[in-house]
Amino acid sequence: MKKIAANMVLALVGVTLVMLLWATLSQTVAKDLPSPLKTWEESKVYVLQPFDKRGEMDQGILRMAGYSLFRVAKGFLLAVLIGTPLGFLLGASNLFYKMFDPTIQVLRPISPLAWLPLGLVLFRQSEPAALFTIALCSMWPTVINTMQGVRAMPQDYHNVARVLRLSAWKRLTKVWLPATLPFMFTGYRLSLGLAWLVIVAAEMLTGTPGVGGFLWHGRNTTA
Amino acid sequence: MPFIEMHDVGKSFGAREVLAGVNFSMEEGEFVSIVGASASGKTTLLKIVSGLLEPGCGQVTMAGESVTGFSSQAAIVFQNYSLLPWLSALENVRLAVEAAFPSYSRARQDEHSERYLKMVGLGGALARRPSQLSGGMRQRVAIARAFAVEPRVMFLDEPFGALDALTRATLQQELARMCSEAGRPVTALMITNNVDEAILLSDRILTLSRGPSASLSPAVPIDLPRPRATDLLFHDEQAVRIRGRLAGFLAAGSRPRFGAPTNAAFSRGVSKSNVPVEA
């Protein structure tokens, strides 16, 4: 208990020091940087009424975060729904792997935001274009990890499936899925992280309401 | 006509010929063991007979038909148990039972699986996962799984190889008991490197010469009455004689693994295993 209190005090000291540094910087070298006090004055309406909706871009911070979270969830779900079966196919079939792995290795390192213009051309609307970008960018860790999981499955499990003469469905649900599940979840975790990274940038560019849109709007409306 | 027959079977991996000119046959209801030193190609042989591996040349038939894959009438016990770690003991057995008896109701599949687990003394560990079982208990589950599908033939690939001597002895007796209590003659082909194990369980023992290019020797029949207690191996005249002969064969069959010239072997220092022993 005492230790927790001491840790909290230390953390508070740290925050105070950073604030002081911020205030000093805004007073001295970086004159364009608003001071902590001014920042609070300007943003308190968004923080103190976090769920208010006053206009399209004029909404409370938690409401904005909610939009972003919801969008991330949708894009991530899409990535999982496409990425998992794709990873399974790549891992299970050598033919499929040899056919599509080179293409995937080329597509994978493409910068997240490079997909956005294509999305906008395809869907003509910012919302589906943002989802398209998130799904496409965050899909790869799921694909690669699921593939690795299937490929790394011990020969024993293949043997069991073979000698017990399991049906295709049983083979999938009782052997393959449980064996690759840990790998799949590693992929999902990485994908979710990527999706959250991509969303802010995607919203900035499309100007949709959300954390990124809010930031961009803020920058545009401050002189 | 023999139940299982191998005719002039050979198998190579790359340039290394593992098996050459293997001829073998067994009748239904026989328990046959193949004894060989490790790395002699025993497991390859078993994989070919059971249909898990295609022979390089020659023919394998079971019940008059050419073997093309693992038969629905067969079961196999692997050395490393090969249980699925995310399923309980009961679920592991039931997975096999479901595949073998799809027409059974769920309740009957459960009851059937449970019966076989009780038979190997695991009635109290049905819900336990393999990680919560000892090595011996895991192999009991694997044996129950093999018996539970009521196969026409059972393949045993060094079934007790990974177990300590004491557990091994217990499980050998259990397996013998399961075979005698099955209500019909069990057809089984066992691969082992343990001569005593083979004598305790088999009707007939064959030896596989040390690879490369291993082949089978003529069979040694074991006419000892069953059940066979372990001390039989030390007191019974026939058992002692067979034991000596087989052990001698295994020792004589030992030579440097890749057939290196004797001189090279000597220049590297003489070890017991690469000096031919008179049997």
Side-chain angles (χ1 to χ4, degrees):
Chain A
M1 203 59 211
K2 220 172 166 183
K3 210 168 176 182
I4 295 173
N7 284 345
M8 277 171 76
V9 169
L10 279 175
L12 279 174
V13 170
V15 170
T16 317
L17 283 174
V18 172
M19 290 285 183
L20 277 174
L21 181 70
W22 178 3
T24 326
L25 284 174
S26 67
Q27 293 296 316
T28 54
V29 276
K31 288 268 170 34
D32 284 338
L33 184 71
S35 70
L37 203 67
K38 183 146 185 273
T39 306
W40 170 247
E41 293 275 302
E42 294 285 330
S43 59
K44 77 177 170 198
V45 60
Y46 302 107
V47 179
L48 293 181
Q49 290 148 317
F51 293 108
D52 269 19
K53 182 171 179 177
R54 290 169 295 269
E56 164 97 85
M57 277 305 177
D58 189 9
Q59 305 186 35
I61 188 67
L62 285 183
R63 191 177 258 273
M64 286 295 194
Y67 291 141
S68 292
L69 272 177
F70 198 56
R71 201 167 286 130
V72 162
K74 282 196 281 188
F76 171 67
L77 200 68
L78 216 60
V80 164
L81 287 180
I82 301 169
T84 312
L86 186 62
F88 245 95
L89 278 175
L90 282 167
S93 152
N94 243 329
L95 182 82
F96 202 80
Y97 176 77
K98 281 182 189 149
M99 230 193 280
F100 293 107
D101 187 60
T103 315
I104 285 174
Q105 295 307 336
V106 169
L107 293 180
R108 200 160 63 98
I110 289 179
S111 164
L113 295 178
W115 291 109
L116 194 61
L118 181 64
L120 284 168
V121 168
L122 281 176
F123 300 104
R124 294 168 195 286
Q125 272 172 351
S126 53
E127 182 68 28
L131 289 184
F132 168 81
T133 309
I134 296 168
L136 222 72
C137 293
S138 61
M139 188 172 81
W140 306 118
T142 297
V143 173
I144 305 288
N145 276 282
T146 307
M147 181 185 88
Q148 292 293 359
V150 175
R151 296 183 86 104
M153 196 159 83
Q155 187 58 39
D156 275 5
Y157 300 163
H158 288 290
N159 285 342
V160 171
R162 236 175 117 191
V163 302
L164 298 188
R165 302 172 67 83
L166 299 181
S167 62
W169 176 247
K170 280 262 149 83
R171 213 173 268 231
L172 182 72
T173 55
K174 299 281 179 176
V175 184
W176 290 39
L177 273 178
T180 39
L181 215 57
F183 289 84
M184 274 155 58
F185 271 88
T186 307
Y188 293 164
R189 232 180 41 224
L190 292 169
S191 285
L192 191 58
L194 258 181
W196 188 244
L197 283 180
V198 171
I199 185 79
V200 174
E203 283 173 352
M204 277 186 179
L205 286 177
T206 55
T208 39
V211 175
F214 175 72
L215 283 171
W216 200 243
H217 178 73
R219 186 242 164 269
N220 285 340
T221 49
T222 353
Chain B
M1 186 172 166
F3 180 54
I4 295 178
E5 204 166 12
M6 288 178 100
H7 187 70
D8 242 351
V9 167
K11 181 77 185 172
S12 303
F13 294 109
R16 197 162 57 92
E17 189 176 47
V18 179
L19 299 171
V22 174
N23 288 294
F24 166 76
S25 70
M26 68 184 280
E27 302 296 331
E28 195 154 15
E30 252 192 321
F31 195 124
V32 178
S33 289
I34 294 175
V35 181
S38 52
S40 56
K42 296 192 300 285
T43 299
T44 308
L45 179 66
L46 192 78
K47 278 185 174 164
I48 291 174
V49 190
S50 60
L52 284 174
L53 196 69
E54 267 187 50
C57 59
Q59 251 208 332
V60 186
T61 56
M62 188 195 290
E65 279 173 41
S66 184
V67 171
T68 49
F70 198 83
S71 163
S72 59
Q73 302 178 322
I76 190 165
V77 177
F78 294 105
Q79 177 177 5
N80 53 3
Y81 329 126
S82 289
L83 301 175
L84 299 175
W86 45 85
L87 298 180
S88 69
L90 180 65
E91 288 166 337
N92 262 294
V93 176
R94 203 181 54 204
L95 192 64
V97 171
E98 277 170 11
F101 306 105
S103 61
Y104 281 17
S105 70
R106 213 183 147 73
R108 185 154 176 217
Q109 287 171 348
D110 271 338
E111 184 263 330
H112 186 93
S113 313
E114 224 177 292
R115 186 152 55 87
Y116 278 93
L117 278 165
K118 280 185 182 141
M119 226 180 266
V120 294
L122 287 179
L126 300 176
R128 286 211 234 161
R129 300 268 172 95
S131 58
Q132 298 166 306
L133 299 170
S134 67
M137 288 164 100
R138 284 180 210 178
Q139 198 56 298
R140 281 166 198 259
V141 177
I143 290 170
R145 180 173 65 182
F147 272 92
V149 301
E150 296 177 350
R152 211 166 149 194
V153 56
M154 194 133 64
F155 297 109
L156 305 153
D157 184 6
E158 301 201 40
F160 312 123
L163 304 175
D164 63 275
L166 218 63
T167 315
R168 192 171 182 148
T170 322
L171 275 185
Q172 284 162 3
Q173 294 300 337
E174 294 256 314
L175 181 64
R177 187 180 52 78
M178 299 263 307
C179 289
S180 68
E181 284 176 9
R184 64 198 161 89
V186 171
T187 312
L189 178 61
M190 179 171 78
I191 295 289
T192 179
N193 56 16
N194 187 311
V195 172
D196 296 354
E197 185 168 288
I199 294 173
L200 284 175
L201 292 165
S202 321
D203 299 318
R204 211 147 56 88
I205 300 177
L206 289 91
T207 45
L208 190 66
S209 66
R210 185 132 196 188
S213 310
S215 63
L216 286 170
S217 68
V220 181
I222 314 287
D223 290 327
L224 301 168
R226 290 171 192 272
R228 298 170 184 164
T230 316
D231 60 354
L232 197 82
L233 294 166
F234 306 98
H235 303 312
D236 185 277
E237 207 180 308
Q238 191 197 358
V240 171
R241 204 179 58 240
I242 294 169
R243 204 165 162 241
R245 228 173 103 190
L246 290 174
F249 170 85
L250 279 183
S254 312
R255 53 188 148 101
R257 196 162 159 190
F258 297 110
T262 331
N263 285 348
F266 271 96
S267 66
R268 268 187 255 115
V270 183
S271 71
K272 215 174 172 183
S273 67
N274 55 25
V275 177
V277 176
E278 280 312 313

